């Protein structure tokens, strides 16, 4: 049973989500009111729905959100993202209450690895250090030497000795990309994000033919064939900055479509086209888990201050070390 499954199993049968929201209530006003009364901060990932992004105190990618969680003076951290992100906030803030609107907001990539699995891999490669992508649960972080995000992975790997053997977990696509750009030969865990793996090279190629002036930009969690034809590869935040700053007026965006909301706000005059997936009935790249969080659940989460993110102190302390090492090693990255 994963950490997320254990947390969900521990929830009371009649939880806060069964509570009724009064009819005619203005969710934005009530959330803003509770934010002041409870000294709460709302952290949201770019993949959340647009209304949650708009009400957040801080909006960012995994690295930016980790930094924001580390620095906050709030008593209540309301994390609008997925479970591993809220866990990271709790690891950094043991004395603060951290809550997640929907505890079922998990992650296929995080579920692909476990602390036990990493321990077995370390036995197989005793001279290797473990560098784990932040998209993993606290048990994997606790077995890691360094945590990275897609924003700082290349920088951190390049800062390690060239002869250092490295196990990279859990995303094989990001690991393969980092191997390519750094010239390393890291040992890759066999995990992937179901959203980024779903992009269809064939359908994207057709989009590129239909929009010859558009640039394809992609997240490194996408598979190699998509990355090979991309004009630009970068983290969520870097993709956003690229759209804002590049002279091109059209972009095909190969990452979770939630980022388009902020892209359109910052570059309203540019044309943004979601990259197509292998599912021709959907034509979308939504993360089901990210979209489990809603404004209604955010309201209930703040009102009842649950579900709360909890973990064993021993695991938290072990997981804190590689996160702190990441934050220290990536200070030069804006």
């Amino acid at each position: 049973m994963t950490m997320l499954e254990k947390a969900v199993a521990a929830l009371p049968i009649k939880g806060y989500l069964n509570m009724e929201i009064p009819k005619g209530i203005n969710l934005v006003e009530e959330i803003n009111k509770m934010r002041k009364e409870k000294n709460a901060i709302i952290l949201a990932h770019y993949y959340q729905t647009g209304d949650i992004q708009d009400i957040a105190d801080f909006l960012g990618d995994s690295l930016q959100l980790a930094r924001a969680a580390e620095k906050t003076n709030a008593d209540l951290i309301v994390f609008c993202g997925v479970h591993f992100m809220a866990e990271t906030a709790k690891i950094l803030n043991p004395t603060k209450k951290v809550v997640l609107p929907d505890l079922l907001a998990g992650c296929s990539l995080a579920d692909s690895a476990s602390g036990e699995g990493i321990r077995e891999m370390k036995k197989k490669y005793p001279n290797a250090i473990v560098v784990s992508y932040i998209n993993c649960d606290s048990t994997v972080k606790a077995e890691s030497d360094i945590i990275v995000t897609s924003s700082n992975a290349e920088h951190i790997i390049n800062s390690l000795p060239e002869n250092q053997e490295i196990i990279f977990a859990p995303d094989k696509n990001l690991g393969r990309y980092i191997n390519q750009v750094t010239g390393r030969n890291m040992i890759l865990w066999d995990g992937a994000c179901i959203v980024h793996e779903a992009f269809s090279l064939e359908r994207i190629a057709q989009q590129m033919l239909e929009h010859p002036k558009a640039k394809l930009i992609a997240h490194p969690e996408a598979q190699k064939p998509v990355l090979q034809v991309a004009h630009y590869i970068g983290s969520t935040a870097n993709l956003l900055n690229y759209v804002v700053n590049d002279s091109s007026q059209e972009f095909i965006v190969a990452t979770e479509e939630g980022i388009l909301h902020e892209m359109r706000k910052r570059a309203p005059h540019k044309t943004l086209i979601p990259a197509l997936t292998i599912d021709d009935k959907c034509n979308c790249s939504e993360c089901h888990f990210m979209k489990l969080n809603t404004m209604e659940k955010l309201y209930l989460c703040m009102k009842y201050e649950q579900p709360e993110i909890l973990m064993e102190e021993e695991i938290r302390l072990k997981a804190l070390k590689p996160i702190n090492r990441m934050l220290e090693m990536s200070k030069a990255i804006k």
Side-chain angles (χ1 to χ4, degrees):
M1 183 178 286
T2 66
M3 289 287 290
L4 177 55
E5 289 170 337
K6 289 179 181 178
V8 172
L11 281 177
I13 295 175
K14 293 184 179 180
Y16 78 103
L17 287 179
N18 292 325
M19 302 291 185
E20 290 187 5
I21 297 176
K23 292 182 179 180
I25 191 172
N26 186 312
L27 292 175
V28 173
E29 288 182 1
E30 291 300 316
I31 289 170
N32 285 333
K33 181 181 177 182
M34 287 189 288
R35 175 159 39 194
K36 293 180 181 179
E37 292 175 347
K38 296 172 180 278
N39 186 29
I41 185 172
I42 301 172
L43 304 179
H45 193 274
Y46 288 121
Y47 296 166
Q48 293 292 284
T49 57
D51 50 3
I52 290 180
Q53 291 188 46
D54 290 340
I55 203 171
D57 293 287
F58 187 88
L59 178 66
D61 66 3
S62 294
L63 177 59
Q64 294 167 332
L65 290 169
R67 285 171 168 167
E70 179 193 31
K71 296 176 182 178
T72 186
N73 293 317
D75 296 315
L76 177 66
I77 300 174
V78 185
F79 212 112
C80 295
V82 291
H83 193 266
F84 77 80
M85 296 178 179
E87 273 194 336
T88 301
K90 184 62 179 180
I91 291 166
L92 290 164
N93 294 277
T95 63
K96 300 180 187 297
K97 179 176 279 190
V98 179
V99 292
L100 180 68
D102 193 325
L103 200 60
L104 291 174
C107 171
S108 61
L109 178 55
D111 287 345
S112 73
S114 66
E116 182 180 358
I118 297 298
R119 285 194 295 274
E120 289 301 313
M121 202 165 188
K122 288 163 72 173
K123 290 178 183 178
K124 188 175 181 181
Y125 301 98
N127 296 321
I129 64 170
V130 178
V131 177
S132 292
Y133 190 26
I134 199 168
N135 297 36
C136 62
D137 72 20
S138 58
T139 68
V140 173
K141 289 181 173 71
E143 296 296 330
S144 303
D145 295 286
I146 309 171
I147 299 299
V148 298
T149 71
S150 54
S151 293
N152 62 25
E154 181 180 352
H155 170 81
I156 287 176
I157 295 301
N158 274 330
S159 69
L160 299 175
E162 291 184 8
N163 62 348
Q164 175 63 63
E165 192 173 29
I166 300 170
I167 295 169
F168 188 89
D171 193 291
K172 61 183 178 183
N173 292 320
L174 175 60
R176 187 182 297 116
Y177 172 73
I178 297 301
N179 273 343
Q180 176 187 332
V181 296
T182 63
R184 300 284 180 137
N185 187 29
M186 298 186 297
I187 304 155
L188 306 182
W189 182 273
D190 188 17
C193 165
I194 56 174
V195 173
H196 289 93
E197 281 232 312
F199 289 116
S200 166
L201 177 61
E202 181 180 0
R203 301 185 77 205
I204 290 174
Q206 183 60 41
Q207 286 181 295
M208 295 173 76
L209 289 174
E210 294 170 357
H211 303 275
K213 294 183 179 180
K215 285 187 176 180
L216 172 64
I217 60 174
H219 194 283
E221 287 182 31
Q223 295 191 75
K224 184 176 180 179
V226 173
L227 299 183
Q228 286 179 320
V229 299
H231 296 91
Y232 178 76
I233 301 167
S235 68
T236 312
N238 287 339
L239 294 178
L240 173 60
N241 292 333
Y242 188 81
V243 166
V244 172
N245 298 318
D246 191 75
S247 60
S248 299
Q249 297 300 301
E250 290 184 78
F251 299 89
I252 300 169
V253 184
T255 192
E256 209 278 348
E257 66 175 24
I259 189 61
L260 298 179
H261 179 74
E262 186 66 14
M263 285 180 173
R264 289 177 179 129
K265 287 174 66 176
R266 296 199 199 178
H269 57 290
K270 296 190 177 183
T271 300
L272 304 173
I273 306 158
L276 294 178
T277 64
I278 55 177
D279 185 354
D280 59 4
K281 295 179 181 178
C282 174
N283 291 342
C284 66
S285 52
E286 277 195 354
C287 173
H288 165 73
F289 297 110
M290 282 283 187
K291 299 306 190 285
L292 285 176
N293 296 318
T294 64
M295 286 290 284
E296 290 77 14
K297 292 176 185 177
L298 174 56
Y299 164 81
L300 291 169
C301 175
M302 294 188 72
K303 183 175 178 64
Y304 298 103
E305 298 185 15
Q306 60 171 302
E308 183 179 1
I309 303 297
L310 300 169
M311 70 186 68
E312 296 175 9
E313 181 65 3
E314 182 181 0
I315 290 177
R316 189 196 70 80
L317 289 173
K318 287 181 179 179
L320 179 62
K321 291 180 181 179
I323 294 174
N324 280 339
R325 192 171 179 190
M326 172 193 76
L327 293 171
E328 180 65 29
M329 295 175 76
S330 58
K331 280 183 176 179
I333 299 175
K334 295 182 179 179

